[in-house]
């Protein structure tokens, strides 16, 4: 098998995984918006620093358990949280 054939197959797999990741992020944003509605109805602020810390710590622990850099995963999840917060604030 040539380099091009091997890479083509693997890149197709990356593309499929990227699609799945994007779909999961969309699902997460949708759930965050639902949470935002509940917060709004109950007069609660959008940001919940304690909850964000829990989420980031959980992500870091899961990353470490899977052999990934926990700080890199923390950065990824911070961005996801910011996306969700922005969606909640737009309600």
């Amino acid at each position: 098998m040539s380099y091009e054939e091997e890479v083509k197959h693997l890149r197709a797999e990356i593309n499929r995984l990227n699609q799945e990741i994007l779909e999961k992020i969309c699902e997460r944003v949708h759930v965050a918006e639902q949470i935002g509605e509940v917060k709004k109805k109950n007069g609660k602020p959008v940001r919940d620093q304690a909850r964000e810390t829990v989420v980031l710590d959980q992500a870091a622990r899961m990353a470490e358990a899977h052999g990934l850099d926990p700080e890199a995963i923390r950065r990824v999840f911070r961005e996801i949280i910011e996306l969700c917060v922005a969606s909640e604030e737009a309600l």
Side-chain angles (χ1 to χ4, degrees), residues 58-70 73:
Q58 287 174 338
R61 281 193 304 276
M62 288 187 285
E64 196 164 26
H66 286 88
L68 297 173
D69 178 356
I73 296 302

Side-chain angles (χ1 to χ4, degrees), residues 1-2 11-15 23 36 39 42-44 47 52 55 58 65-66 70 74-75 78 80 86-87 89-90:
M1 186 179 289
S2 72
R11 286 184 176 154
E13 183 68 7
I14 290 288
N15 291 342
E23 289 169 3
K39 288 177 181 176
N42 289 279
K44 301 292 183 182
R47 292 217 85 117
E52 290 178 23
V55 170
Q58 287 174 338
H66 286 88
R74 254 183 215 280
R75 289 190 300 274
R78 275 191 198 103
I80 292 170
S87 290
E89 289 175 340

Side-chain angles (χ1 to χ4, degrees), residues 34-48:
Q34 292 173 343
I35 291 170
E37 290 290 345
V38 172
K39 288 177 181 176
K40 187 176 182 179
K41 182 173 70 175
N42 289 279
K44 301 292 183 182
V46 169
R47 292 217 85 117
D48 182 345

